[in-house]
Amino acid sequence: MTVTNDFNEVLLNRRSVKQYDTSVKISKEEMTEILAKAMRAPSTSNTQTYRFVVIDTPEGKEKLAKLAPHNQSQVTTSSAVIAIFGDLQASEKFEKMFSKTVELGFMPEEIKNQFQPMLMQRVANMSERELRDWVLTDAGLVAMQFMLVARSHGYDTNPMGGYDKENIAETFGLKKERYVPVMIISVGKAAAEGRGSYRFPVDEVTFWR
Ligand SMILES: Cc1cc2nc3c(=O)[nH]c(=O)nc-3n(C[C@H](O)[C@H](O)[C@H](O)COP(=O)(O)O)c2cc1C
């Protein structure tokens, strides 16, 4: 596994890649490392509300291809496609996050005892819309970080929203009421370069106050 540490190289040469070298497989060990690095992304109160499904088997790819008719080459030629979901019941894991944070010496016990019930209360009082905004934001950040980490490992990616969001959770054995689909990301070794893409000048999208 070769890792590039040149951040500008990773950042400025990332392109959405549609065609991958089908002979390249990413091992479970390396994919786990890429995901763990992606998870260094910040999340709301460190709640890490995203969940991943790594689709890297022929059967999984076949099921996904049916859900993404406009993104066939990314699904069929990539080493894997990562389906990212937001977990609307992520609060089940808050206790573990707080306890581990205390155990590792990153938070005093008193702060946990104040903050954890407040956060649980906040979640309990939230509308589904607010909860969805929360998990979508966390998932967006981890998704971007995944793409950059993958590039640093020598792979390319393509984020995709063009798939059947109504059916993806259940197709992969997850409850659709609980897991909100965010995006799918193909990952693998590029067989054809991605096209360049235009960005607006910063001043056109920025309000300076
Ligand atoms: C949320 C989201 C959904 C996207 N959906 C698709 C898609 O369904 N198919 C596709 O080929 N590209 C998709 N893209 C890729 C964009 O077209 C691409 O990021 C954009 O054109 C900029 O190009 P670049 O990624 O090479 O910089 C999506 C990107 C994002 C962020």
Side-chain angles (χ1 to χ4, degrees), residues 14-16 18 71 74 158-162 197 199:
R14 185 203 56 77
R15 307 264 179 279
S16 285
K18 323 276 176 194
N71 289 302
Q74 297 95 317
N158 189 175
M160 290 167 278
S197 56
R199 294 296 185 274

Side-chain angles (χ1 to χ4, degrees), residues 8 39 42-43 46 72 78 81 92 104 113 116 135 142-143 175 186 204 209:
N8 277 319
M39 288 175 66
S43 63
N46 198 27
Q72 290 293 294
S78 61
V81 180
E92 285 178 2
L104 291 166
N113 292 342
Q116 188 182 332
V135 303
V142 83
K175 289 202 167 64
S186 54
E204 284 187 21
R209 296 282 190 266

Side-chain angles (χ1 to χ4, degrees), residues 56-97:
D56 64 351
T57 61
E59 308 79 66
K61 291 283 203 76
E62 202 179 312
K63 286 187 205 167
L64 184 61
K66 291 194 183 114
L67 300 180
H70 303 298
N71 289 302
Q72 290 293 294
S73 60
Q74 297 95 317
V75 173
T76 57
T77 65
S78 61
S79 302
V81 180
I82 315 302
I84 303 185
F85 294 88
D87 183 358
L88 294 176
Q89 290 172 31
S91 60
E92 285 178 2
K93 293 181 82 65
F94 289 5
E95 162 56 26
K96 178 171 186 184
M97 184 276 288

